[in-house]
Every structure is written in structure tokens, then in C-alpha cells.
């Protein structure tokens, strides 16, 4: 049994900060977010509070990872077994967890940006846009308007349009995955 000196505790905190970022700066992700991921990961590795000193040695199995995802409020589209399947392992270390969460955060930000563009055409928030108006916008707006072939491919996605309307929530659902928000009125 040994007591940590102040210098050892300080070194341990520096190591934890370094572990959260993998020793590198992660563009677009705050240190606070990384530390939140790290704290949550360690908590679910050791809910009894007896965490080890090195997060790089810790692993979560499917049950622990599932609890962590629910604890972070990411349940729904994100499943522990899918995350583990992506890694090809039955456990996930912190760096793998961190990288997957960052990728999902960035995808979510992209989805919100695209939704915001659609909402400009939907001031009444009906989640639908008149089809003729949508097709005109796709053909003429943006830095690179869509070609007719690209528009045909888009319209081939089942359920995103009918004769009158383009349902952008259905499009987002098909592109980014189920989120439980999509409705057609």
C-alpha cells in the first residue's frame, strides 16, 4: 500500500488529460468533451469507484458499453453491439470509444446543418417541401447544383417523396439512420 505524493497525483492528471486526447490535439473537439468521455468511460469500467490509474489499460464489454451509451444519452440509433462489430472485438478500449463517439458527433453536426438548410424551405416546420420547389432548388442552388442523374438517384430512395411533397426528415433518416424524428403528415 503506497500513498500518492502530490507530484505523482499531478503526473497522473497530466497522463489522464493526455490519454483523453490520445496525446494529440483533436481538431473540433473540446478538452472538456474529451474529459467527459474519459470520466464516463472510467465510471462504467469501474462503477464501484475503484478505477485503475491508466485508462489505456481499461476495456468495456458489450454490457458496460451499452450502459455507457445510455448514460451519455446516445441510446436509440447507437448500439453497443454495432460499435463492437465495427472493431471486430468483444471489448472496446478508450481510444476506440473516443474515436467512435467523435465520428458520431461530427456526423450529427453534419445532419443538423443539412436539416437547417431544408428548414429554410419549410418556414411552417411541416417537415415537407413542395416537390417542384425542392427540385428547382436542387437543380439551381448551391456551389454545385445536382445533375439530373443525381436527382433521379435521390428520388429513387423509398418514402422520401410523393407527387406533391419531398419529406426531408425521411431523407435524413435514410441517409443518417433512424432517429425517431421522421414523420410524414
Amino acid at each position: 500500500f503506497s500513498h500518492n505524493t502530490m507530484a505523482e497525483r499531478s503526473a497522473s492528471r497530466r497522463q489522464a488529460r493526455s490519454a483523453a486526447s490520445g496525446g494529440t490535439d483533436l481538431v473540433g473537439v473540446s478538452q472538456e468533451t474529451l474529459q467527459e468521455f474519459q470520466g464516463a468511460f472510467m465510471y462504467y469500467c469501474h462503477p464501484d469507484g475503484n478505477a485503475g490509474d491508466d485508462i489505456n489499460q481499461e476495456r468495456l464489454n458489450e454490457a458496460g458499453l451499452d450502459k455507457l451509451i445510455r448514460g451519455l444519452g446516445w441510446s436509440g440509433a447507437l448500439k453497443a453491439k454495432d460499435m463492437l462489430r465495427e472493431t471486430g472485438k468483444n471489448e472496446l478500449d478508450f481510444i476506440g470509444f473516443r474515436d467512435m463517439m467523435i465520428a458520431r458527433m461530427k456526423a450529427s453536426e453534419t445532419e443538423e446543418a443539412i436539416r437547417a438548410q431544408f428548414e429554410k424551405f419549410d418556414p411552417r416546420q411541416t417537415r415537407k417541401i413542395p416537390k417542384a420547389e425542392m427540385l428547382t432548388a436542387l437543380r439551381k442552388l448551391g456551389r454545385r447544383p445536382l445533375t439530373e442523374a443525381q436527382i433521379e438517384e435521390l428520388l429513387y430512395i423509398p418514402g422520401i417523396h410523393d407527387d406533391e411533397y419531398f419529406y426531408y426528415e425521411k431523407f435524413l433518416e435514410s441517409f443518417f439512420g433512424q432517429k425517431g424524428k421522421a414523420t410524414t403528415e
Side-chain angles (χ1 to χ4, degrees), residues 3-185:
H3 294 282
N4 286 344
T5 65
M6 191 181 255
E8 287 171 327
R9 284 192 302 268
S10 179
S12 178
R13 281 191 297 275
R14 278 193 308 277
Q15 179 184 4
R17 280 193 301 274
S18 178
S21 64
T24 62
D25 289 331
L26 297 168
V27 177
V29 181
S30 72
Q31 195 64 30
E32 181 181 315
T33 298
L34 293 173
Q35 288 175 346
E36 184 178 321
F37 286 162
Q38 180 181 357
F41 188 86
M42 289 300 282
Y43 174 78
Y44 285 98
C45 281
H46 299 281
D48 58 3
N50 294 325
D53 289 334
D54 186 2
I55 196 168
N56 294 315
Q57 300 299 317
E58 303 294 339
R59 304 285 184 271
L60 276 175
N61 61 20
E62 184 177 336
L65 187 56
D66 194 49
K67 288 177 186 174
L68 172 56
I69 291 167
R70 284 194 319 266
L72 289 173
W74 281 71
S75 57
L78 188 59
K79 302 280 186 235
K81 69 178 175 182
D82 295 333
M83 290 178 79
L84 291 172
R85 190 178 311 122
E86 284 180 40
T87 68
K89 300 176 183 169
N90 61 356
E91 294 182 321
L92 188 63
D93 65 4
F94 175 71
I95 300 300
F97 168 74
R98 179 206 65 196
D99 292 350
M100 286 183 170
M101 293 304 290
I102 290 170
R104 281 165 173 78
M105 285 173 52
K106 290 184 178 189
S108 177
E109 290 167 5
T110 301
E111 180 179 356
E112 292 307 313
I114 293 171
R115 179 177 282 106
Q117 293 302 314
F118 280 127
E119 287 173 349
K120 289 178 182 180
F121 292 91
D122 184 23
R124 289 180 279 133
Q125 299 180 335
T126 61
R127 295 184 172 154
K128 59 187 179 184
I129 301 169
K131 188 175 177 182
E133 185 178 334
M134 184 68 197
L135 293 175
T136 299
L138 291 172
R139 288 180 180 113
K140 298 185 185 232
L141 300 178
R143 284 180 270 157
R144 291 179 43 205
L146 296 182
T147 65
E148 288 303 313
Q150 290 169 323
I151 290 172
E152 282 181 35
E153 189 176 331
L154 172 71
L155 294 176
Y156 187 72
I157 299 170
I160 67 165
H161 70 94
D162 59 25
D163 290 340
E164 293 183 64
Y165 294 102
F166 178 87
Y167 301 98
Y168 61 88
E169 283 293 339
K170 288 286 189 183
F171 167 76
L172 293 170
E173 177 185 316
S174 71
F175 193 77
F176 290 103
Q178 180 83 22
K179 282 218 171 182
K181 293 181 179 179
T183 60
T184 54
E185 297 173 12

